[in-house]
Amino acid sequence: MPTPSMEDYIEQIYLLIENKGYARVSDIAESLSVHPSSVTKMVQKLDKDDYLVYEKYRGLVLTSKGNKIGKRLVYRHELLEQFLRVIGVKEENIYEDVEGIEHHLSWDSIDRIGDLVQYFEENNSRISDLKIIQEKNDA
């Protein structure tokens, strides 16, 4: 099982490949705000653990294992953002909040949050009812 740090790298690599078609060490470093040397060390570890294949000076590709986990990590991140929006968290807080909680929830919790988001989105009156409660509590 990847560590939270490994998850951040896998997620970012997956997103870069999805958006650009490739992921270079410099792109990963920029998107994670870390030094390229840190990326190289982590990429080597991810290669050793079979999440990706890294060839020095040539680039990297996710293995099927890395791709599967990357896709799931992106889903988790997007679901948590969606959940926080549904429950009325201010937009400027969402990214930092997701970054703070995403590694600390079990996949069971993520699945239940998915159920809750679906419950709210299937009937907009539920979201309206929640907003009424929030307005009362904020008053």
Side-chain angles (χ1 to χ4, degrees):
M1 200 65 189
T3 65
S5 180
M6 291 166 76
E7 286 183 347
D8 286 339
Y9 278 84
I10 294 168
E11 180 181 1
Q12 204 53 240
I13 291 165
Y14 179 88
L15 286 169
L16 285 165
I17 291 171
E18 283 290 301
N19 295 329
K20 295 174 78 170
Y22 59 90
R24 298 180 311 209
V25 167
S26 58
D27 298 322
I28 300 163
E30 183 181 332
S31 61
L32 292 174
S33 300
V34 296
H35 293 286
S37 59
S38 299
V39 174
T40 299
K41 285 179 191 169
M42 179 59 81
V43 163
Q44 289 169 341
K45 179 167 180 36
L46 292 171
D47 183 6
K48 185 173 126 322
D49 292 347
D50 297 321
Y51 293 106
L52 56 81
V53 176
Y54 173 65
E55 295 180 28
K56 195 172 184 178
Y57 306 117
R58 298 203 53 171
L60 54 96
V61 292
L62 289 170
T63 62
S64 59
K65 174 182 170 182
N67 197 58
K68 181 179 177 183
I69 290 173
K71 188 174 189 172
R72 193 157 191 210
L73 295 172
V74 168
Y75 164 77
R76 176 181 70 186
H77 189 100
E78 290 172 350
L79 176 65
L80 290 171
E81 284 185 354
Q82 186 180 9
F83 171 67
L84 294 179
R85 279 190 190 94
V86 165
I87 64 170
V89 173
K90 292 177 185 158
E91 194 64 37
E92 64 265 19
N93 296 328
I94 289 177
Y95 182 80
E96 287 296 319
D97 287 351
V98 169
E99 288 298 310
I101 64 174
E102 68 183 338
H103 300 294
H104 302 284
L105 295 172
S106 68
W107 286 104
D108 182 43
S109 293
I110 296 298
D111 291 340
R112 299 301 66 84
I113 289 170
D115 296 341
L116 190 58
V117 168
Q118 181 180 348
Y119 170 79
F120 276 105
E121 290 185 340
E122 283 180 351
N123 185 336
N124 281 338
S125 68
R126 294 172 182 149
I127 295 173
S128 299
D129 291 346
L130 178 60
K131 286 181 180 171
I132 290 167
I133 291 169
Q134 290 169 336
E135 288 169 6
K136 274 197 269 183
N137 289 338
D138 288 345

